[in-house]
Amino acid sequence: MSNEWPLWEIFIRGQHGMSHRHVGSLHAADEAGAIKNARDVYTRRNEGVSIWVVEARNITASSPSEKGPMYEPSESKVYRHPTFFDIPDDVGAM
Amino acid sequence: MYAQMIKSEATKDDPEKLATFQARIDAGDKIEPKDWMPEGYRKTLIRQIGQHAHSEIVGQLPEGNWITRAPTLERKAILLAKVQDEAGHGLYLYCAAETLGVTRDELTEMLLDGRMKYSSIFNYPTLTWADMGAVGWLVDGAAIMNQVPLQRTSFGPYARAMVRICKEESFHQRQGYDIMMKMANGTEAQKRMAQDALNRMWFPSLMMFGPSDAESVHSEQSMSWKIKMNGNDELRQKFVDQTVPQAEYLGLTVPDPDLKWNETKGGYDFTGPDWDEFFEVLKGNGPCNTERLAARNKAWDDGAWVREGLMAHAAKKRSAKMAAE
């Protein structure tokens, strides 16, 4: 059917001050309906304190086939991790 | 199971791509919707996840039948919450299927015109309140057997839907067993109802796992793709081994005179269900097939004006907003 309700991606912030997290998607006629449906579908057991809805077609995603070149710059920079540096035990916690 | 007799598609893809794909699966990678996948993998999954979703939705009907007649307000509230969960489970699964390139309306229409199936179990009637107990205990119990391993399935969206579902499913089984405990410890008449429900639900529950692996031609491909995690017989055995002691605790008798503990295999020997009956139910000749599909079709048709009305309202609001800007 051409008149199908659009798809919305749903993001929920849990109880403990975490960021909003993608939980799934659903169909709704508009944003108000999407929030209401998101409450019923994704927070039946107090899973959240805040809901974001975004129409799925408005999301731009990176391409999985470019995974290699896309993330290559970070792979060669091990010094960005604290464990790269040896700190003597005598120095204490750092 | 909730997805039975899923035919896996032969695949005619580039052998090199296929090998890379299989290597990813063997390494435990999750396949995501935009990744390359064999056409057969995609089609088989649409059929499997779609059938699983339809089962959740149609599965609301046998229990919905008792919401208005629950014996107490508490039982009614609990059953309502359980049935609402089933709707939610259907929605998680439809979304997972949609990431494979099929639309929600296409899936719905394929259910309504019989091109897609749902689990055979929901074509049996729920005749008494004790059936609410037996359905939660046995049917949801059997579903859990299959769904727990599916949390590790290779397709990311399906695995994530399964994680959500499994978190909620345990409530379903426990509320069913709680009803059974009440009935089995109640009056003689209540105990008879509990036994009767077990008698009627036992073999249909065993059918949920599908025919024996020896006869299941599609298992092998689906297993290597990790969209089927265990053999049908293996899961059925596990279910029987887990359920028989639970029936004994209730003081009820599993309706199988040949059921007995087999020390050497460390499991029960039991009688399999009547597979002729199973295939008849799949073909549409079960006790409630016509009623179930008629109810889904009626709900879809009766809801058309709501779906269309809300779309028209959304369009009107959008154009009013644009005019104001």
Side-chain angles (χ1 to χ4, degrees):
Chain A
M1 204 196 289
S2 57
N3 209 25
E4 186 167 327
W5 284 1
L7 188 68
W8 301 77
E9 298 298 333
I10 311 303
F11 301 81
I12 301 220
R13 190 212 304 278
Q15 307 276 359
H16 305 293
M18 306 294 279
S19 340
H20 284 76
R21 186 166 163 227
H22 183 244
V23 292
S25 50
L26 50 75
H27 290 268
D30 58 16
E31 45 276 75
I35 287 190
K36 216 179 255 175
N37 289 353
R39 181 201 59 186
D40 292 343
V41 179
Y42 291 108
T43 66
R44 287 195 303 283
R45 288 173 176 79
N46 289 321
E47 287 93 337
V49 293
S50 165
I51 299 174
W52 287 351
V53 301
V54 184
E55 213 181 316
R57 60 173 181 180
N58 292 329
I59 290 183
T60 310
S62 63
S63 154
S65 59
E66 287 161 18
K67 222 188 296 183
M70 179 84 163
Y71 301 107
E72 191 281 325
S74 72
E75 270 168 22
S76 54
K77 297 172 182 62
V78 282
Y79 45 80
R80 282 180 171 162
H81 297 279
T83 47
F84 178 78
F85 305 94
D86 283 329
I87 304 291
D89 289 346
D90 297 346
V91 178
M94 181 180 284
Chain B
M1 196 31 56
Y2 277 20
Q4 294 158 324
M5 306 280 295
I6 298 299
K7 192 167 144 254
S8 66
E9 297 267 343
T11 207
K12 296 190 239 38
D13 299 279
D14 172 8
E16 203 174 305
K17 280 185 168 175
L18 273 180
T20 316
F21 179 79
Q22 190 60 49
R24 286 191 63 195
I25 290 189
D26 295 342
D29 262 18
K30 290 278 181 257
I31 308 301
E32 295 298 337
K34 286 187 167 181
D35 296 351
W36 184 87
M37 62 184 80
E39 201 44 26
Y41 178 85
R42 197 180 66 82
K43 283 191 180 153
T44 308
L45 267 179
I46 290 178
R47 204 175 290 141
Q48 177 173 338
I49 303 173
Q51 191 183 116
H52 197 156
H54 296 328
S55 299
E56 301 283 356
I57 298 300
V58 176
Q60 294 178 95
L61 297 170
E63 293 180 300
N65 180 34
W66 282 91
I67 290 174
T68 55
R69 291 177 285 164
T72 67
L73 191 55
E74 186 185 59
R75 293 283 183 200
K76 181 175 179 166
I78 292 170
L79 186 59
L80 199 57
K82 200 245 175 196
V83 172
Q84 193 190 8
D85 273 355
E86 306 297 0
H89 295 180
L91 295 182
Y92 307 154
L93 288 161
Y94 280 132
C95 289
E98 282 175 86
T99 64
L100 292 159
V102 62
T103 72
R104 176 73 59 89
D105 282 1
E106 280 165 359
L107 287 166
T108 305
E109 280 157 15
M110 285 192 275
L111 168 68
L112 297 182
D113 66 20
R115 273 176 293 160
M116 285 182 88
K117 302 285 180 210
Y118 52 89
S119 176
S120 55
I121 189 73
F122 302 117
N123 289 313
Y124 290 86
T126 45
L127 302 177
T128 73
W129 173 253
D131 288 12
M132 295 303 96
V135 165
W137 170 38
L138 301 173
V139 176
D140 290 272
I144 289 170
M145 287 282 151
N146 185 49
Q147 289 173 338
V148 167
L150 274 177
Q151 293 179 100
R152 292 178 285 111
T153 188
S154 62
F155 187 55
Y158 193 25
R160 292 191 284 272
M162 280 296 113
V163 170
R164 298 191 68 85
I165 289 175
C166 286
K167 268 191 202 158
E168 300 175 348
E169 203 74 73
S170 165
F171 148 59
H172 297 179
Q173 194 185 15
R174 281 168 168 238
Q175 67 87 34
Y177 197 71
D178 187 62
I179 293 173
M180 290 308 271
M181 285 197 293
K182 194 83 180 173
M183 303 285 288
N185 294 312
T187 63
E188 270 312 303
Q190 284 174 313
K191 195 170 172 176
R192 270 200 308 277
M193 278 168 73
Q195 181 64 54
D196 169 63
L198 172 58
N199 291 350
R200 284 181 291 104
M201 293 292 173
W202 177 253
F203 286 109
S205 299
L206 296 187
M207 288 178 198
M208 288 176 66
F209 299 93
S212 176
D213 296 318
E215 288 155 46
S216 184
V217 280
H218 308 293
S219 287
E220 210 177 313
Q221 176 65 79
S222 291
M223 292 258 232
S224 69
W225 278 337
K226 289 191 191 160
I227 56 181
K228 184 181 171 79
M229 308 301 285
N230 305 82
N232 297 347
D233 293 324
E234 177 193 351
L235 289 175
R236 188 167 18 247
Q237 180 71 52
K238 209 171 153 196
F239 173 74
V240 171
D241 293 345
Q242 180 182 296
T243 310
V244 170
Q246 294 168 351
E248 282 166 1
Y249 180 85
L250 293 171
L252 300 178
T253 311
V254 172
D256 178 358
D258 297 325
L259 181 84
K260 70 171 190 302
W261 179 255
N262 180 333
E263 193 61 53
T264 26
K265 79 169 179 186
Y268 287 91
D269 289 331
F270 60 95
T271 311
D274 176 352
W275 292 112
D276 292 337
E277 177 182 319
F278 171 77
F279 287 111
E280 278 305 307
V281 173
L282 281 199
K283 265 191 260 169
N285 302 324
C288 298
N289 295 60
T290 311
E291 188 186 329
R292 300 291 185 239
L293 268 190
R296 287 314 306 152
N297 272 288
K298 184 176 186 309
W300 179 248
D301 294 341
D302 289 355
W305 70 273
V306 179
R307 295 192 301 275
E308 287 160 17
L310 284 173
M311 276 302 269
H313 177 68
K316 200 169 103 185
K317 259 195 339 191
R318 246 194 330 272
S319 49
K321 197 175 156 203
M322 255 153 47
E325 276 163 6

